[in-house]
Amino acid sequence: MRSTTSSSRRRAALVAATAIAVVTVGSGAAFGVSAANAATGTTPTSTSTAAPATAAPAATTPAAATPAASTALAFTEPSTKADPLALSATVGTPFSHTFHTTGGNGTVGYAIQDAPSAAWTVNVDTGVLSTTPTTAGTYDFEVVALSGGEQVTEYVRVTVAPSPLSFTEPSTKAQPLALTATAGTTFTHTFRAVGGSGSLAYAIQDAPSSAFTVNVSTGVLTSTETTAGTYDFEVVALRGKTTATEYVRLTVRPAAPIGLITFVGHGTPDSTAYEVGPSGTIKAFSGTGKDLGTVSSIPAKQNGTLVLSGIAVDRFGNPTEPQTTTQPLATLTSSVASDRIVPDTAKHVVRITFPHASQHRLTVSQDGVSTSFTVAVQPLATTAVATSATGTGATLAYTGADERTPIAWGAGLLAAGATLLGFRLRRRRI
């Protein structure tokens, strides 16, 4: 066994402190010798002829007190080298154990021998072993107790278990890790797990789409999502037979606005409605939502009124402004000065009436971007004829996504003169 230098010194001090000197006082006086002569060892000669004085009775010397018998020093938790005291600890968790003894002769001091490292200490007075383990494993060492001239040994075996597997960014299902990305911009985040033992691997659970991946070795999450929204999923760490879960909430924000989506209707049920894309492309839909194809202009009658609602979008069709009741209305302007434009904030739409028959170029603006399109206003004496439609698909030219149902819903609302606040184009919440 290897004893530390401080333990050896402490032991020497404790052994020295237990040496008790017993001094007997007055032994010379007990034999009628004065204290002064007792020191020299001489006997005085009498010079008096008088009768010798009667000797005083000798003083009775009290019997010395018998010291109490001491018991052998021993640890209260017996151990042997073959059968050491078994203790358990965990990596990263403060650990302590108090050693107690019985018996001995006076003060008891404690020391550690063959300590696993300098981080393992025993308090010399209290016998408290303390450390914060950093490495899993099994550690054998001794704790010694010294009292007077006695020394006893406690053989100790501490088994240090790995810390539990966990992520360095704690989360719960109720309080997920909040991350933010931008539509169309590659987003990455590195997840790190600690604890456990063995090889470490990562995986994604409940991935919203194939646009979300996690590298099995590095724990790097990559997202190329283009649809704005909030996505909840989990990243799992696996080490040996243990797992840990990171709950994640990724909010994908819209990219920069590039134009507006504008819905245009006649304000009557079941009438044709139109969707104008950011590039000015016009798609026609029946009142029931049937795709009528692409048209070059929107037909209207002289003195007739159209109802419009527009919202700024990014290049993926994500609205760039929250669709709430406090959202500002889009601004509508016309190339014909006589057109009457009336905002309807209650229904969150703008109404425009055309007193003169001609080609009217309307521009809808919001969030620093705008979209323009043509309205062909026919005289009252002439029946309005819509330009021929081209194409029959339901795929939007600017997004490449099938949006038949939400577009039909939005168009139907416009046809009834209602608000489009509930409209969500390509937007979903997971």
Side-chain angles (χ1 to χ4, degrees):
M1 295 295 175
R2 175 182 55 82
S3 300
T4 62
T5 301
S6 58
S7 299
S8 299
R9 291 176 179 173
R10 179 62 183 172
R11 178 184 177 190
L14 290 171
V15 171
T18 58
I20 303 174
V22 179
V23 179
T24 303
V25 179
S27 58
F31 294 92
V33 181
S34 68
N37 291 320
T40 62
T42 60
T43 303
T45 303
S46 176
T47 57
S48 175
T49 58
T54 304
T60 303
T61 302
T66 303
S70 61
T71 58
L73 182 65
F75 280 98
T76 58
E77 298 170 291
S79 65
T80 64
K81 190 172 184 178
D83 187 19
L85 176 66
L87 303 175
S88 299
T90 302
V91 169
T93 301
F95 166 78
S96 66
H97 181 82
T98 302
F99 295 93
H100 297 282
T101 57
T102 59
N105 184 12
T107 303
V108 179
Y110 299 88
I112 188 171
Q113 291 185 161
D114 297 328
S117 73
W120 297 70
T121 61
V122 169
N123 186 287
V124 67
D125 298 314
T126 63
V128 175
L129 165 69
S130 60
T131 189
T132 300
T134 58
T135 305
T138 300
Y139 301 92
D140 290 333
F141 54 92
E142 300 83 43
V143 173
V144 296
L146 305 98
S147 179
E150 290 187 89
Q151 175 179 319
V152 290
T153 300
E154 181 87 279
Y155 296 93
V156 183
R157 174 169 292 171
V158 179
T159 301
V160 179
S163 59
L165 183 64
S166 63
F167 281 92
T168 57
E169 297 171 291
S171 66
T172 64
K173 192 171 185 178
Q175 292 184 318
L177 177 66
L179 302 175
T180 304
T182 300
T185 300
T186 300
F187 169 81
T188 63
H189 181 83
T190 301
F191 294 93
R192 292 185 176 88
V194 295
S197 60
S199 59
L200 181 62
Y202 298 90
I204 189 171
Q205 285 188 165
D206 299 325
S209 71
S210 59
F212 295 79
T213 61
V214 169
N215 186 286
V216 67
S217 302
T218 64
V220 175
L221 165 70
T222 301
S223 169
T224 56
E225 184 59 57
T226 59
T227 302
T230 301
Y231 301 87
D232 289 337
F233 55 94
E234 299 85 42
V235 173
V236 178
L238 305 95
R239 175 168 272 168
K241 295 182 179 180
T242 61
T243 62
T245 301
E246 182 87 277
Y247 296 93
V248 184
R249 174 165 292 169
L250 178 62
T251 299
V252 180
R253 295 175 176 172
I258 62 165
L260 279 80
I261 294 176
T262 303
F263 285 93
V264 184
H266 293 280
T268 56
D270 299 326
S271 62
T272 303
Y274 305 86
E275 180 238 278
V276 183
S279 63
T281 302
I282 304 172
K283 298 279 291 184
F285 295 88
S286 70
T288 60
K290 182 180 179 180
D291 182 6
L292 301 177
T294 302
V295 297
S296 59
S297 63
I298 296 175
K301 293 181 179 180
Q302 186 177 5
N303 291 324
T305 298
L306 291 178
V307 182
L308 299 89
S309 180
I311 185 168
V313 295
D314 65 11
R315 63 191 178 97
F316 304 105
N318 299 301
T320 58
E321 291 289 338
Q323 294 175 274
T324 66
T325 56
T326 59
Q327 178 187 356
L329 281 172
T331 301
L332 175 63
T333 58
S334 174
S335 61
V336 178
S338 61
D339 288 349
R340 297 191 296 272
I341 300 173
V342 180
D344 186 345
T345 56
K347 295 183 178 179
H348 217 75
V349 296
V350 178
R351 301 178 188 276
I352 181 170
T353 302
F354 308 98
H356 296 94
S358 63
Q359 297 287 312
H360 297 239
R361 189 69 175 170
L362 304 186
T363 300
V364 184
S365 304
Q366 187 183 69
D367 203 14
V369 293
S370 61
T371 297
S372 298
F373 56 94
T374 299
V375 175
V377 180
Q378 303 295 328
L380 289 176
T382 305
T383 303
V385 178
T387 57
S388 60
T390 59
T392 58
T395 299
L396 301 186
Y398 65 94
T399 63
D402 187 349
E403 296 292 348
R404 179 185 290 108
T405 300
I407 288 177
W409 179 45
L413 289 173
L414 270 176
T419 178
L420 287 180
L421 286 178
F423 175 70
R424 294 291 186 273
L425 180 66
R426 285 183 56 83
R427 186 169 186 174
R428 65 187 180 200
R429 181 181 180 86
I430 303 301

